Amino acid sequence: GAVVSQHPSRVICKSGTSVKIECRSLDFQATTMFWYRQFPKQSLMLMATSNEGSKATYEQGVEKDKFLINHASLTLSTLTVTSAHPEDSSFYICSARRGQEISGNTIYFGEGSWLTVV
Amino acid sequence: LAKTTQPISMDSYEGQEVNITCSHNNIATNDYITWYQQFPSQGPRFIIQGYKTKVTNEVASLFIPADRKSSTLSLPRVSLSDTAVYYCLVGDYSGGYQKVTFGTGTKLQVIP
């Protein structure tokens, strides 16, 4: 199956600093990528949908100035948590959808990134 | 987007077949049904996808009735390593801008 890679898998940062998480589709072009956060023992919560070359669409309640998303190429999307605070500590997961030229309509997920803000 | 309903949790003994059913009463004509498996601290892993009738791959089968308002993921002869959360997703991703939202999932506990 398709491979989506996230980096870093774990990161610890100080409160008030910013941290960037990368999401790459390794063997296919991803016209659309999605970012989620997941708290322990809870389901994934969609934060935003990212389309290559355009601004991300954020879900209600997600601060776009705090969670900056960039999808500059068909294989890379980044999530930057700005001015991080302890309550931003969570498991962040990205997913990518294959381009329309490939059938199957399947979304593939990255391994996830643990963010701890101290 | 079609809302999905799954049992919160299920228990099964090793070696048994497990069937997890998902309800999606307002599924749309273009929607596909996709199941994912998630282990703790990992991203969801694609298991199987279908549109209608039955789909089978090396790890699971997916049964979809004619009205497509539900689907059943079947895991043959589960082992302890199948303990995970299983999510059913329904949607049409071909438009390029469809959101992918998750329901609560089903936590499967396999017992020795």
Side-chain angles (χ1 to χ4, degrees):
Chain A
V3 179
V4 176
S5 178
Q6 278 184 242
H7 177 81
S9 57
R10 290 182 178 273
V11 58
I12 301 173
C13 71
K14 291 184 177 181
S15 186
T17 63
S18 296
V19 61
K20 179 185 289 187
I21 301 171
E22 293 186 346
C23 178
R24 294 180 184 274
S25 56
L26 299 184
D27 55 354
F28 66 97
Q29 293 185 330
T31 54
T32 306
M33 287 184 169
F34 306 89
W35 286 95
Y36 301 80
R37 65 186 300 180
Q38 185 177 33
F39 294 107
K41 298 185 178 181
Q42 294 187 22
S43 185
L44 285 76
M45 183 189 77
L46 180 65
M47 298 174 66
T49 302
S50 166
N51 293 291
E52 187 265 339
S54 63
K55 291 183 178 181
T57 302
Y58 290 82
E59 294 300 298
Q60 191 173 7
V62 178
E63 300 176 58
K64 61 181 180 180
D65 294 329
K66 181 169 184 60
F67 299 99
L68 301 179
I69 292 173
N70 183 278
H71 192 164
S73 78
L74 287 172
T75 59
L76 174 64
S77 177
T78 60
L79 167 68
T80 301
V81 182
T82 62
S83 186
H85 289 96
E87 57 265 29
D88 297 323
S89 298
S90 186
F91 190 52
Y92 291 88
I93 308 171
C94 74
S95 67
R97 189 187 72 84
R98 286 179 182 264
Q100 294 185 29
E101 69 278 7
I102 299 175
S103 63
N105 299 312
T106 303
I107 308 294
Y108 296 95
F109 288 83
E111 311 97 324
S113 300
W114 272 109
L115 170 63
T116 302
V117 184
V118 298
Chain B
L1 288 172
K3 180 181 177 182
T4 60
T5 303
Q6 302 174 232
I8 297 295
S9 64
M10 294 180 68
D11 292 338
S12 176
Y13 288 102
E14 268 191 297
Q16 290 189 332
E17 178 185 76
V18 171
N19 296 307
I20 306 173
T21 298
C22 178
S23 297
H24 28 80
N25 290 319
N26 59 339
I27 188 169
T29 302
N30 294 332
D31 286 346
Y32 283 77
I33 301 160
T34 312
W35 284 80
Y36 292 88
Q37 176 193 56
Q38 186 183 30
F39 296 112
S41 298
Q42 294 185 27
R45 183 177 73 96
F46 172 86
I47 300 174
I48 198 166
Q49 183 182 75
Y51 184 80
K52 62 180 179 180
T53 63
K54 177 184 175 182
V55 179
T56 298
N57 62 22
E58 62 275 10
V59 297
S61 294
L62 178 59
F63 299 92
I64 305 168
D67 64 5
R68 303 203 324 123
K69 293 186 176 183
S70 66
S71 59
T72 299
L73 173 71
S74 181
L75 304 173
R77 298 181 60 80
V78 294
S79 63
L80 295 177
S81 62
D82 293 318
T83 294
V85 178
Y86 293 81
Y87 292 98
C88 158
L89 271 70
V90 175
D92 169 21
Y93 315 125
S94 62
Y97 297 92
Q98 292 291 332
K99 297 188 294 187
V100 183
T101 55
F102 281 75
T104 58
T106 298
K107 180 173 173 55
L108 172 65
Q109 180 70 51
V110 179
I111 306 165

